[in-house]
């Protein structure tokens, strides 16, 4: 994982490097570092922990030089200590790396036997030593990197600078994303275009196997066989995106509150409200001819897929398989040629999701993706893309991207139902109108956060929380538990309400909060029976529902009121209370809500 940047600038670059790294902190924040070439000499500063530690270090101990590289780390090999922070370097070369070098042990043994002195536990350091070995054998930097790249197995995005070369940077990509930014007499490189947004919007993406030699005047790109190639320069949308917290304490709070607006934007892209009809762009397959649809994703996006399964199966009569992307390949499932696979990802860079996409492509599946970053690898490798219009999501715990994923999936399920002849014009209109009301309902939930603030002190004291839901509320229970775990570090589990009696009921006592997601739909009465089972054992029930708590017949410790909504859109509206429960509990506890420990927003390792 990790984020990398590089600048060949007109003046000192340390500040620009840190500025770009701030936009990449979503990729990891265990440590950070920068290196520059100043008067031909390599210099470096590194600090454990968040970027502000590096910033403070640079204030105390500035780093000069007009060319440099930077890194923000999510630890894979070696603890998150300063010695393992990037850049890694020898006297001759400095390297930043995103990815994993799979054969690093063999290479390290070989280099150590030749006398190389390793100072970290990382896989990356072998790259610096391999290049150094080539350089001391008389190679120039380009030849040294070319020979080194041939020896590396695994995934990487690399940027390298060299002693004695003020106007040279070499970068390479295999598996991990890398964007080149073209300035006026300046060149930039970053793990994504957002990192480079303050500097340029002229962006080219390297393809897998590409490596490039950068000077301030331009770039020579070669493919893995050393052939000169051109990669198109596009105008990135990233620079137009404003990234700040506004008046909110945290990005997460801002993003939760943006939901009425971004759900509305996303709906507007897929719905014609004038006619109350779904309006989906052309797809690479016809829903009418599909016998199954396969959905894969990770984390929160996986839970969006679980909700979508209820929609596709109930409303479109389309059988659906849903897989955690990291597990999909291990099922070795038989895929019919010409079948369709749908991938959902906020970042569009999640390594497991991308690997599954490539597996499906190799099995002749048509590939559709729902992504929030349109320029991402998953988007570029799909036959068709349905973007979510959530805008940049900075909080590591996904909120508005999730609700926008649900929005697109709901529209797609209606389109599927129409194509399969099971949703007629009247039902289409009913469902579209229900979707159109979602922004208003979400705004209603967000209008009064006091009940969540009042619940937070109580939840902050417990070690475990259960979330229950039935039908399409079951994935919302899973998502609620994930949100709480991620940002408050309280252990939480989501269960299908009907499964309570098959195990989790053993945990219930008067100290166990049980959060029940229970819209008043046709499953509601069954969920009430499960609540009674909890109440009978003294569990503290937190009811998230439009129902009257007094009418449940059991003691409800807290009622979090939700407006009455059409059952089709309930998951979209009920996603918000579970976000607020997690957010207010975590802020009460004082955790780092936007950058919770050990997590990263974009997970580019398998
Ligand atoms: C990480 C993030 C989650 C996200 C998951 C999938 O675990 O912390 O918030 O749901 O990756 O990411 P994607 O970008 O593919 O949606």
């Amino acid at each position: 994982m990790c984020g990398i940047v590089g600048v060949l600038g007109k003046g000192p670059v340390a500040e620009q490097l840190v500025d770009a790294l701030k936009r990449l902190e979503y990729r990891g924040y265990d440590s950070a570092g920068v290196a520059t070439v100043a008067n031909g000499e390599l210099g470096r500063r590194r600090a454990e922990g968040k970027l502000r530690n590096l910033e403070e270090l640079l204030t105390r101990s500035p780093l000069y030089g007009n060319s440099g590289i930077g890194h923000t780390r999510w630890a894979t090999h070696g603890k998150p200590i300063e010695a393992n922070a990037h850049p890694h370097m020898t006297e001759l070369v400095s390297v930043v790396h995103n990815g994993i070098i799979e054969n690093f042990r063999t290479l390290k043994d070989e280099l150590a036997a030749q006398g190389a002195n390793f100072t970290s536990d990382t896989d990356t350091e072998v790259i610096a030593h391999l290049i150094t070995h080539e350089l001391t054998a008389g190679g120039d930097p380009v030849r040294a990197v070319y020979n080194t790249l041939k020896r590396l197995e695994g995934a990487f995005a690399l940027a390298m600078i060299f002693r004695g070369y003020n106007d040279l940077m070499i970068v390479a990509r295999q598996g991990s994303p890398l964007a080149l930014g073209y300035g006026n007499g300046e060149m930039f490189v970053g793990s994504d275009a957002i990192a480079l947004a303050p500097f340029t919007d002229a962006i080219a993406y390297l393809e897998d196997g590409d490596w490039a030699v950068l000077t301030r005047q331009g770039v020579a790109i070669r493919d893995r066989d050393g052939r000169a190639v051109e990669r198109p320069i596009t105008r990135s949308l990233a620079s137009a995106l404003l990234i700040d917290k506004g008046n909110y304490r945290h990005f997460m709070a801002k993003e939760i509150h943006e939901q009425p607006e971004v759900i509305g934007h996303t709906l507007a892209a897929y719905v014609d409200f004038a006619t109350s009809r779904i309006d989906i762009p052309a797809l690479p397959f016809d829903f009418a001819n599909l016998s199954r649809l396969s959905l894969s994703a990770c984390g929160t996006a996986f839970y969006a897929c679980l909700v979508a399964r209820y929609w596709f199966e109930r409303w479109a009569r389309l059988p659906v398989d849903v897989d955690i992307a990291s597990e999909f390949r291990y099922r070795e499932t038989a895929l019919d040629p010409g079948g369709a696979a749908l991938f959902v990802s906020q970042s569009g860079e999640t390594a497991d999701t991308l690997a599954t996409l490539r597996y499906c492509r190799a099995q002749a599946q048509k590939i559709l993706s729902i992504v929030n970053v349109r320029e991402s690898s998953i988007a570029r490798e799909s036959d068709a893309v349905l973007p979510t219009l959530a805008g940049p999501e900075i909080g590591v715990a996904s909120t508005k991207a999730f609700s926008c994923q649900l929005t697109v999936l709901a529209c797609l399920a209606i389109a599927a139902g129409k194509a399969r002849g099971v949703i007629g014009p009247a039902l289409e209109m009913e469902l579209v109108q229900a979707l159109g009301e979602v922004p208003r309902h979400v705004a209603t939930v967000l209008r009064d956060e006091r009940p969540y603030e009042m619940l937070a002190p109580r939840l902050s004291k417990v070690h475990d929380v259960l979330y229950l839901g039935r039908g399409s509320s079951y994935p919302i229970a899973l998502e609620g538990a994930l949100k709480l775990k991620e940002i408050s570090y309280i252990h939480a589990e989501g269960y299908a309400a009907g499964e309570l009696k098959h195990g989790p009921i053993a945990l219930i006592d008067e100290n166990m909060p049980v959060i029940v997601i229970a819209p008043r739909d046709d499953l509601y009465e069954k969920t009430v029976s499960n609540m009674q089972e909890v109440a009978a054992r003294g569990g503290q029930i937190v009811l998230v529902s439009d129902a009257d708590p007094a009418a449940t017949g059991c003691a409800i410790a807290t009622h979090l009121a939700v407006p009455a909504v059409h059952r089709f859109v309930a998951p979209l509206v009920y996603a918000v209370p579970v976000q607020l429960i997690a957010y207010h509990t975590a802020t009460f506890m004082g955790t780092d809500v936007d950058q919770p420990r050990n997590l990263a927003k974009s997970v580019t390792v398998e």
Side-chain angles (χ1 to χ4, degrees):
M1 224 137 63
C2 314
I4 69 170
V5 294
V7 180
L8 292 175
K10 289 178 179 163
V13 293
E15 207 178 309
Q16 281 177 308
L17 291 170
V18 172
D19 194 12
L21 287 176
K22 282 184 186 159
R23 292 157 181 271
L24 290 176
E25 257 192 314
Y26 71 86
R27 302 176 74 89
Y29 35 76
D30 288 332
S31 66
V34 289
T36 58
V37 187
N39 300 322
E41 291 301 323
L42 292 169
R44 162 176 81 172
R45 302 285 182 272
R46 301 181 294 173
E48 208 176 303
K50 302 262 166 83
L51 254 178
R52 59 178 171 269
N53 299 347
L54 177 67
E55 269 186 302
E56 281 166 24
L57 175 65
L58 284 165
T59 312
R60 290 196 306 275
S61 173
L63 193 61
Y64 302 101
N66 297 358
S67 44
I69 53 180
H71 188 270
T72 180
R73 178 167 189 247
W74 187 78
T76 57
H77 292 63
K79 288 187 183 143
I81 54 173
E82 187 186 327
N84 290 329
H86 297 219
H88 289 286
M89 59 194 274
T90 65
E91 280 188 4
L92 300 181
V93 61
S94 184
V95 183
V96 286
H97 168 215
N98 163 34
I100 292 176
I101 305 301
E102 287 167 6
N103 59 336
F104 89 100
R105 272 181 217 291
T106 321
L107 295 171
K108 193 166 178 175
D109 291 347
E110 176 191 313
L111 288 156
Q114 290 165 0
N117 179 25
F118 284 87
T119 57
S120 79
D121 305 318
T122 65
D123 50 336
T124 306
E125 201 182 351
V126 298
I127 303 171
H129 285 290
L130 280 172
I131 294 172
T132 302
H133 185 73
E134 293 282 336
L135 289 171
T136 42
D140 61 78
V142 175
R143 170 70 35 195
V145 169
Y146 181 58
N147 288 343
T148 298
L149 291 177
K150 284 196 285 196
R151 304 217 47 206
L152 302 180
E153 290 166 18
F156 50 80
L158 298 172
M160 295 153 276
I161 51 175
F162 305 85
R163 186 172 87 176
Y165 293 85
N166 286 315
D167 190 20
L168 176 69
M169 184 178 304
I170 304 183
V171 302
R173 175 200 167 159
Q174 179 169 298
S176 306
L178 200 57
L180 303 180
Y182 294 73
N184 183 10
E186 296 177 297
M187 279 300 299
F188 306 92
V189 53
S191 294
D192 69 22
I194 291 180
L196 307 183
F199 316 126
T200 179
D201 64 351
I203 299 289
Y205 291 94
L206 293 188
E207 302 274 324
D208 254 3
D210 284 356
W211 58 291
V213 179
L214 280 63
T215 67
R216 288 181 179 75
Q217 294 319 313
V219 184
I221 307 177
R222 296 187 180 276
D223 67 10
R224 81 173 81 239
D225 300 319
R227 282 187 298 257
V229 287
E230 298 278 333
R231 301 297 174 211
I233 300 175
T234 54
R235 292 278 152 202
S236 164
L237 299 173
S239 57
L241 304 170
L242 195 66
I243 300 170
D244 69 39
K245 283 188 223 162
N247 294 328
Y248 292 93
R249 247 176 94 194
H250 300 104
F251 279 109
M252 186 177 178
K254 175 175 174 250
E255 288 159 5
I256 288 173
H257 281 266
E258 281 172 352
Q259 288 178 111
E261 192 185 349
V262 294
I263 293 171
H265 284 164
T266 304
L267 275 175
Y270 301 108
V271 165
D272 179 351
F273 281 114
T275 55
S276 292
R277 300 276 170 246
I278 287 292
D279 187 9
I280 295 277
L283 299 176
F285 51 82
D286 184 348
F287 274 118
N289 304 329
L290 282 189
S291 54
R292 304 196 75 73
L293 178 65
S294 146
L295 271 58
S296 310
C298 299
T300 288
F302 169 69
Y303 294 143
C305 293
L306 283 185
V307 171
R309 177 165 65 187
Y310 288 89
W311 283 334
F312 280 115
E313 298 198 329
R314 159 74 173 79
W315 300 93
R317 313 305 299 158
L318 173 62
V320 160
D321 286 321
V322 183
D323 278 274
I324 295 171
S326 60
E327 287 295 319
F328 180 88
R329 286 169 293 163
Y330 311 133
R331 278 173 62 207
E332 296 186 27
T333 182
L335 299 168
D336 295 335
L342 170 58
F343 298 90
V344 181
S345 172
Q346 187 285 128
S347 63
E349 300 293 350
T350 301
D352 288 317
T353 311
L354 187 56
T356 307
L357 182 156
R358 288 174 179 162
Y359 175 91
C360 288
R361 180 173 287 296
Q363 309 266 324
Q365 301 300 289
K366 297 289 182 200
I367 310 292
L368 177 63
S369 64
I370 295 176
V371 297
N372 198 39
V373 181
R374 292 187 207 198
E375 295 145 333
S376 59
S377 304
I378 288 176
R380 282 182 283 132
E381 295 191 26
S382 299
D383 296 312
V385 182
L386 301 176
T388 47
L389 278 73
E393 190 180 65
I394 308 298
V396 164
S398 185
T399 53
K400 63 175 181 171
F402 177 64
S403 43
C404 288
Q405 287 161 356
L406 291 179
T407 304
V408 179
L409 287 161
C411 293
L412 196 60
I414 299 174
K418 281 171 67 179
R420 297 170 72 77
V422 292
I423 295 184
L427 182 54
E428 180 183 9
M429 186 172 283
E430 176 187 326
L431 299 180
V432 166
Q433 284 173 356
L435 279 172
E437 289 171 5
V438 169
R440 178 168 56 82
H441 292 314
V442 170
T444 306
V445 173
L446 291 171
R447 204 162 294 143
D448 184 9
E449 294 180 57
R450 276 170 310 173
Y452 299 90
E453 288 164 11
M454 282 159 64
L455 176 63
R458 215 145 44 77
L459 287 186
S460 71
K461 290 191 188 67
V462 304
H463 295 294
D464 308 279
V465 178
L466 272 184
Y467 285 71
L468 300 180
R470 249 174 212 276
S472 60
S473 297
Y474 165 45
I476 299 301
L478 294 170
E479 170 61 5
L482 176 65
K483 282 286 87 84
L484 191 70
K485 267 186 281 217
E486 282 181 306
I487 62 171
S488 75
Y489 316 141
I490 296 170
H491 172 239
E493 299 279 354
Y495 271 94
E499 193 66 9
L500 178 73
K501 51 194 171 297
H502 299 293
I505 200 164
L507 300 172
I508 290 174
D509 60 18
E510 53 288 350
N511 298 318
M512 170 68 94
V514 180
I515 299 177
V516 186
I517 317 299
R520 261 178 72 87
D521 57 17
D522 47 342
L523 305 176
Y524 172 72
E525 291 303 337
K526 286 190 196 295
T527 308
V528 169
S529 304
N530 303 129
M531 279 192 316
Q532 274 155 353
E533 292 155 14
V534 172
R537 285 151 184 94
Q540 306 167 36
I541 298 171
V542 177
L543 175 63
V544 185
S545 179
D546 54 323
D548 173 5
T552 58
C554 39
I556 304 292
T558 302
H559 175 221
L560 299 171
V562 180
V565 300
H566 190 293
R567 64 170 288 194
F568 178 64
V569 301
L572 274 153
V573 180
Y574 281 73
V576 181
V578 299
Q579 296 166 354
L580 290 173
I581 292 170
Y583 175 75
H584 285 288
T585 305
T587 47
F588 180 81
M589 293 170 79
T591 58
D592 190 340
V593 170
D594 285 333
Q595 295 183 333
R597 70 184 182 207
N598 303 341
L599 297 178
K601 182 132 195 86
S602 177
V603 182
T604 55
V605 291
E606 287 188 30

